[in-house]
Amino acid sequence: MNNDSNFEIRIVPSEQIAMDDQMIPVMSVEKQANDLQLDELNELSILPLRNMILLPGVILPVTVSRKKSIKLVRESFENEAIIGVCAQPDKDIEDPTYEQLYKKGTMGVIHRIIEMPDNSVTIILEGKKRFLMSMVLQEQPYLRTHVLPLNDIIPDNKKLKSKELQALFSSIKDISIIIVNNSGMIPSEAAFAIRNIDNPFFLVNYVIVNFSFEVSDKQRLLEIDNIIERAYQLLALLKKEREMLDIKIDIQKKAHEEMDRQQREYYLHQQMRTIQKELDEDDSVDVATLRERGKKKKWNEQTAKLFERELKKLQRENPQSPDYSTQLNYIETMLNLPWNEFTKDIFNLKKAKRQLDKDHYGMEKVKERILEHLAVLKLKGDMKSPIICLYGPPGVGKTSLGNSIAKALGRKYIRVSLGGLHDEAEIRGHRRTYIGALPGRIIQNILKAESANPVFVLDEIDKVSTDYKGDPASALLEVLDPEQNTTFHDNYLDADFDLSKVLFIATANNLNTIPRPLLDRMELIEVSGYTQEEKIEIAQNHLLKKEIDNHGLKPENLILEKPVIAQIIADYTRESGVRQLSREIARICRKIARKVAENIDYNVVVNIDELVEYLGVPRFSADQYAGNDYAGVVTGLAWTQVGGEILTIETSLSPSKQPKLNLTGNLGDVMKESAMLALEYVKSHADILKIEQKMFEKFSVHIHVPEGAIPKDGPSAGITMTTALASIFTKRKVRKNIAMTGEITLRGKVLPVGGIKEKILAAKRAGITDIILCAENQKDIKEIKPIYLKGIHFHYVTDISEVLNFALLKEKAGK
């Protein structure tokens, strides 16, 4: 028996253990003469045991390997001292404390110590009397506690001779012998020992100690004071053990019968193959092997019947027939698919967070959602995977995020590009009646992954198109619906395959092109563009290292400091993501690589003045605030696919006999409507704004938005246009360093708009200090980190009159 490993029973056939020149019995069969002496013990050194307990009267070999325990048994043996033996509930604890032990145990005396080759010792331990630990006296060098001896409640001889108790002890003995003879795990000598124990109390204690019950059950029996009650509880455990043993024997018998049937079928198939060879019809494919592979698959009964039917069809086919290879390919596809075969998820949330933070900077919402999903998997053990759709501008890391998620979860990674997909069969597969039929992309990639729970990235889902070959977006409905994809039906496979454990991650740039039913099945997470500060961090921690490695350089060959990277971002890129920034860093790396290869001296730390040499003339100029020297010129905020920008709205008045509104600057329909709304509002509130009505009758209005080659649309310039018109008609100056964004209604109500984060960053880059927003956009501000809001004051409005009262000064413009 070993207190540091699993429980193991040792039985001495002669019921004795040799010790020097005498023999020690396995059971103490006489009443102990020193019971009174044991009752007087109030302090004991405690030996913790795992996977076993000791009971009075039982002699037990115990292997001790803990250093503290070895010291205890050596000193106790030398001093002939009684020790206390207590079990620990948790066997994995290496050094249990007082609180981590059962409080009731058994006093024991060490008869012998045997040195083992692995530096452990085996002791021969005899149980004496039960006790209760009450208080810790010392913890080092080993545990020593105050104890209270416990007495067993034993009935008198008259009651012991009653038929009920005789039957009780006889039943314990009979069932114990049956379990020993049939279990195959307990030595047969144990039956001999049990048969020859006459004392009923020693019989009960012996069986409790030596049978493979749970330690918690053994401890429960040890804590029972009444011997008769202990015997009844033991009988209940023995009956349960025998029932389990009968079930195991029955299963083994059935398995043996199944084995005989399989062997018979195997010999028949071998005979069939021999006949086929004689008839020169050997198909070179071992159908029996295919059948054996099929039996190892974890598919359901319906799929198993389909496989068997298709396999028999293969057997009937002539190998020279064109249909034979088609049928064989189908069988191989079924066998290679991972039916209910999953990789094990890594439930280390801290490690997963480190992996996500290492691969991607920012993206807090996405990372938080993945960690939440992982936390639920850890607690629940199983759940339908969510369908996540990451949408945002190009180059922000939506696609590569899928690979990071796969690493964090410990799953396989698959990516399928759906851009330009227009054939429904690409998703659902072709029916086998077609020549060259194949499964759809979903099943094909599940085959490659060899796992039924990969991370599956559906890239560019917004670019799926439709033509006469069907609607792939409609076919994706079943794939991305958690209520339907448990039984995904591929036309080629013609069997239901469970996709519910697959973590689908779709990516898109524009949600407007995704059909509404498909959009409804996905959990939308916005991946917004990066701020300049975030781009600098990404460049230093990710892009620079990657490009240095890609170009065969070493870190000491090139150093880009933060001001230089900031200058590259401002002068050579205009994007929400970092794809162009990566290209510009790659350009620098190529030129550095040439210098290194030709042994030309250069500055390892690139400075701003050298950027023209490496990257050429700056291609972009930062947005500049136009100032407020002119009436009718107001700064607005716009969102584009490459991030936020400031938008200057210019207005002018010109005398005309037939006044009209002129709009220039490549404006879209929605923006033109905003201009008309703005003019109508100014006309209808001319008296409040102190504008003479005749001005509308004598002057034409011209509204222009610079950079006319770039298309512009959207309602967010509504309040900007209204402010510009009010300024030009009243000649009042506009407040300095102010920008605004918001939609306007005919009644003058200000409505919320999107892209607030990008617009604020654009305003900050241009030196704007005050921004006017709709009051409902205040919730968007709360989601932005305070560091990006520093130096900007927000003014929340609900009506255009509030905008005009704040934005327009009483001072008249001089120009």
Side-chain angles (χ1 to χ4, degrees):
M1 300 182 183
N2 193 323
N3 69 319
D4 295 314
S5 60
N6 291 329
F7 179 75
E8 177 188 12
I9 295 176
R10 297 189 200 165
I11 301 297
V12 179
S14 62
E15 295 185 78
Q16 293 180 329
I17 295 175
M19 189 186 77
D20 298 333
D21 298 328
Q22 57 182 335
M23 303 294 287
I24 295 181
V26 172
M27 295 293 297
S28 297
V29 293
E30 73 282 351
K31 177 67 176 172
Q32 300 299 326
N34 58 351
D35 272 359
L36 293 175
Q37 182 184 351
L38 295 175
D39 288 337
E40 295 175 357
L41 286 174
N42 57 11
E43 293 183 12
L44 286 177
S45 299
I46 304 301
L47 175 66
L49 298 183
R50 47 184 163 195
N51 299 321
M52 65 173 70
I53 66 162
L54 180 67
L55 276 167
V58 181
I59 293 179
L60 195 65
V62 177
T63 299
V64 180
S65 60
R66 295 170 177 151
K67 291 182 179 180
K68 294 172 65 173
S69 300
I70 292 174
K71 181 176 178 61
L72 184 153
V73 298
R74 289 189 192 280
E75 292 181 359
S76 301
F77 182 69
E78 291 174 1
N79 299 326
E80 298 183 354
I82 302 292
I83 66 171
V85 178
C86 291
Q88 58 186 78
D90 187 351
K91 66 179 182 180
D92 294 327
I93 298 176
E94 186 59 33
D95 188 11
T97 61
Y98 173 80
E99 290 77 12
Q100 294 168 332
L101 295 173
Y102 288 114
K103 298 303 177 285
K104 288 186 179 181
T106 305
M107 300 178 187
V109 61
I110 302 171
H111 286 297
R112 184 178 179 183
I113 295 181
I114 304 169
E115 301 292 340
M116 305 301 290
D118 58 354
N119 295 326
S120 63
V121 297
T122 297
I123 63 173
I124 308 302
L125 192 61
E126 178 183 357
K128 291 293 186 181
K129 191 179 188 70
R130 297 181 306 120
F131 68 87
L132 171 67
M133 290 193 294
S134 61
M135 185 175 62
V136 177
L137 297 177
Q138 72 176 44
E139 293 185 348
Q140 297 298 334
Y142 42 74
L143 182 63
R144 188 171 177 83
T145 68
H146 188 277
V147 298
L148 299 173
L150 301 174
N151 293 316
D152 291 335
I153 300 174
I154 303 175
D156 54 29
N157 290 333
K158 183 178 180 181
K159 190 171 182 180
L160 277 175
K161 293 179 181 178
S162 66
K163 292 183 178 180
E164 180 183 351
L165 293 187
Q166 292 291 330
L168 171 63
F169 294 120
S170 178
S171 298
I172 290 175
K173 183 175 289 191
D174 293 342
I175 296 177
S176 299
I177 292 172
I178 291 173
I179 292 174
V180 171
N181 292 335
N182 291 282
S183 69
M185 299 183 66
I186 303 176
S188 58
E189 290 86 351
F192 177 81
I194 293 171
R195 193 177 288 111
N196 287 278
I197 296 175
D198 296 327
N199 189 310
F201 313 126
F202 293 158
L203 171 67
V204 171
N205 288 354
Y206 181 82
V207 172
I208 292 172
V209 171
N210 287 286
F211 275 50
S212 56
F213 305 127
E214 294 290 335
V215 173
S216 58
D217 290 331
K218 292 184 177 186
Q219 182 67 26
R220 177 170 55 83
L221 296 177
L222 179 147
E223 293 178 359
I224 297 174
D225 297 332
N226 192 310
I227 293 292
I228 303 303
E229 177 62 24
R230 192 185 298 167
Y232 274 114
Q233 293 291 338
L234 172 61
L235 182 61
L237 279 177
L238 287 170
K239 287 183 176 179
K240 183 179 177 181
E241 191 75 16
R242 183 180 174 182
E243 289 175 1
M244 291 295 296
L245 185 60
D246 290 341
I247 293 172
K248 290 179 182 178
I249 292 173
D250 187 49
I251 291 173
Q252 290 173 359
K253 184 179 178 181
K254 289 180 178 178
H256 183 70
E257 293 175 353
E258 181 69 18
M259 187 72 71
D260 291 342
R261 185 180 66 81
Q262 290 178 359
Q263 287 177 347
R264 180 172 174 272
E265 290 181 355
Y266 172 75
Y267 289 130
L268 288 174
H269 282 296
Q270 287 297 106
Q271 291 175 3
M272 185 186 300
R273 285 186 58 79
T274 303
I275 294 171
Q276 287 176 338
K277 284 182 181 180
E278 292 295 326
L279 296 174
D280 197 20
E281 292 180 359
D282 184 25
D283 55 7
S284 75
V285 175
D286 191 350
V287 175
T289 302
L290 295 176
R291 184 173 280 108
E292 287 301 317
R293 287 174 60 191
K295 289 178 180 178
K296 295 177 183 178
K297 303 303 288 185
K298 299 177 183 178
W299 45 39
N300 56 34
E301 185 178 350
Q302 184 179 358
T303 308
K305 289 180 179 178
L306 172 65
F307 174 76
E308 185 62 30
R309 186 167 62 248
E310 296 295 333
L311 195 59
K312 289 180 179 177
K313 189 185 296 184
L314 177 69
Q315 284 181 293
R316 293 193 297 268
E317 289 285 352
N318 188 328
Q320 307 304 321
S321 169
D323 293 334
Y324 181 81
S325 60
T326 302
Q327 187 68 15
L328 181 59
N329 288 338
Y330 175 74
I331 295 290
E332 289 288 349
T333 300
M334 287 195 72
L335 289 172
N336 291 331
L337 268 175
W339 301 85
N340 296 316
E341 296 172 14
F342 310 110
T343 54
K344 188 176 181 181
D345 287 327
I346 299 173
F347 293 128
N348 189 331
L349 297 181
K350 292 182 180 179
K351 182 178 179 182
K353 188 176 187 306
R354 284 197 302 270
Q355 181 68 50
L356 293 173
D357 290 339
K358 175 185 174 184
D359 293 344
H360 289 82
Y361 186 84
M363 297 189 181
E364 302 302 331
K365 285 186 180 180
V366 187
K367 295 176 183 177
E368 183 180 357
R369 181 64 187 87
I370 297 304
L371 292 174
E372 287 171 356
H373 174 63
L374 191 56
V376 174
L377 276 177
K378 181 177 182 179
L379 296 177
K380 191 173 183 288
D382 180 33
M383 73 171 293
K384 291 180 179 177
S385 292
I387 313 298
I388 296 173
C389 180
L390 307 176
Y391 70 95
V396 295
K398 300 185 297 297
T399 304
S400 61
L401 188 65
N403 199 5
S404 297
I405 292 171
K407 290 178 185 176
L409 294 175
R411 295 190 180 188
K412 300 291 183 67
Y413 171 69
I414 299 172
R415 175 188 165 274
V416 173
S417 178
L418 301 179
L421 191 72
H422 54 80
D423 188 353
E424 182 182 340
E426 292 285 335
I427 304 297
R428 287 192 177 277
H430 301 82
R431 297 194 180 278
R432 282 183 287 155
T433 53
Y434 293 98
I435 297 174
L438 288 171
R441 290 198 186 185
I442 304 298
I443 296 298
Q444 285 184 40
N445 283 280
I446 293 291
L447 276 166
K448 291 179 184 177
E450 299 178 347
S451 166
N453 65 335
V455 174
F456 204 124
V457 175
L458 298 170
D459 212 5
E460 309 290 356
I461 198 170
D462 57 327
K463 297 174 179 61
V464 174
S465 57
T466 303
D467 66 2
Y468 69 93
K469 294 181 181 180
D471 183 5
S474 298
L476 284 170
L477 292 177
E478 184 183 3
V479 176
L480 299 182
D481 191 339
E483 300 300 323
Q484 298 181 42
N485 64 11
T486 53
T487 54
F488 173 67
H489 192 86
D490 185 272
N491 290 330
Y492 178 84
L493 194 61
D494 201 25
D496 293 337
F497 191 85
D498 186 4
L499 296 176
S500 62
K501 303 298 187 299
V502 178
L503 179 55
F504 285 104
I505 299 176
T507 70
N509 299 129
N510 186 3
L511 297 181
N512 295 330
T513 58
I514 303 176
R516 180 58 55 181
L518 187 58
L519 203 61
D520 184 58
R521 284 162 169 80
M522 298 186 291
E523 181 178 341
L524 301 177
I525 299 177
E526 183 179 6
V527 184
S528 57
Y530 296 116
T531 65
Q532 178 162 322
E533 292 81 359
E534 288 173 335
K535 288 180 181 179
I536 292 171
E537 292 294 331
I538 292 170
Q540 279 206 320
N541 298 326
H542 298 279
L543 303 182
L544 184 58
K545 293 178 182 178
K546 185 183 77 171
E547 295 302 336
I548 285 176
D549 185 61
N550 289 346
H551 291 80
L553 298 173
K554 297 179 180 179
E556 58 267 22
N557 293 139
L558 174 62
I559 297 175
L560 293 179
E561 295 180 340
K562 288 186 177 182
V564 176
I565 296 175
Q567 196 69 29
I568 296 172
I569 295 169
D571 292 348
Y572 297 92
T573 68
R574 179 162 288 184
E575 57 179 349
S576 291
V578 291
R579 193 168 286 150
Q580 184 62 34
L581 177 58
S582 180
R583 293 192 191 105
E584 298 303 325
I585 293 175
R587 288 180 66 188
I588 296 175
C589 288
R590 286 195 297 271
K591 294 186 183 298
I592 296 293
R594 182 177 175 182
K595 292 177 183 292
V596 172
E598 296 178 356
N599 293 320
I600 299 174
D601 291 334
Y602 68 97
N603 291 330
V604 174
V605 182
V606 177
N607 57 53
I608 293 176
D609 296 333
E610 291 178 306
L611 289 180
V612 175
E613 175 190 346
Y614 288 114
L615 301 177
V617 178
R619 291 188 291 276
F620 302 102
S621 58
D623 296 328
Q624 297 294 328
Y625 171 61
N628 72 334
D629 294 331
Y630 296 90
V633 179
V634 183
T635 302
L637 298 174
W639 179 91
T640 68
Q641 286 193 347
V642 296
E645 292 183 359
I646 65 169
L647 201 66
T648 303
I649 306 293
E650 300 178 346
T651 57
S652 67
L653 299 178
S654 57
S656 176
K657 292 182 180 180
Q658 294 182 336
K660 63 180 180 177
L661 174 64
N662 297 313
L663 301 171
T664 55
N666 204 347
L667 308 184
D669 292 338
V670 177
M671 205 164 183
K672 290 178 180 177
E673 291 171 358
S674 295
M676 289 188 288
L677 281 172
L679 182 58
E680 289 301 320
Y681 179 84
V682 172
K683 284 182 178 179
S684 60
H685 294 79
D687 53 340
I688 298 175
L689 297 172
K690 297 180 181 180
I691 303 172
E692 297 180 5
Q693 284 291 341
K694 62 182 180 180
M695 291 190 69
F696 300 111
E697 300 170 1
K698 294 182 178 180
F699 293 95
S700 288
V701 180
H702 190 146
I703 298 178
H704 176 68
V705 184
E707 298 187 36
I710 301 174
K712 310 169 191 70
D713 203 2
S716 61
I719 65 172
T720 312
M721 290 180 170
T722 307
T723 306
L725 289 172
S727 173
I728 194 66
F729 275 111
T730 61
K731 299 297 181 181
R732 291 166 63 182
K733 274 191 174 185
V734 179
R735 189 180 294 272
K736 276 187 178 182
N737 298 320
I738 190 172
M740 58 190 72
T741 182
E743 183 179 354
I744 186 178
T745 69
L746 195 58
R747 296 176 296 156
K749 297 296 179 184
V750 179
L751 302 180
V753 292
I756 296 299
K757 178 182 176 183
E758 287 79 4
K759 291 176 180 178
I760 290 173
L761 295 173
K764 192 173 181 181
R765 288 195 299 269
I768 301 296
T769 58
D770 292 270
I771 296 178
I772 298 177
L773 295 173
C774 174
E776 292 185 34
N777 281 127
Q778 190 169 0
K779 62 181 184 296
D780 300 306
I781 302 297
K782 294 178 180 178
E783 294 183 358
I784 302 174
K785 292 182 180 180
I787 189 174
Y788 302 136
L789 307 178
K790 190 176 180 181
I792 298 179
H793 302 284
F794 296 96
H795 307 274
Y796 302 105
V797 297
T798 56
D799 191 271
I800 188 64
S801 60
E802 300 174 50
V803 178
L804 299 178
N805 289 337
F806 178 76
L808 297 181
L809 303 174
K810 293 182 179 180
E811 180 185 355
K812 298 289 185 177
K815 299 179 183 179

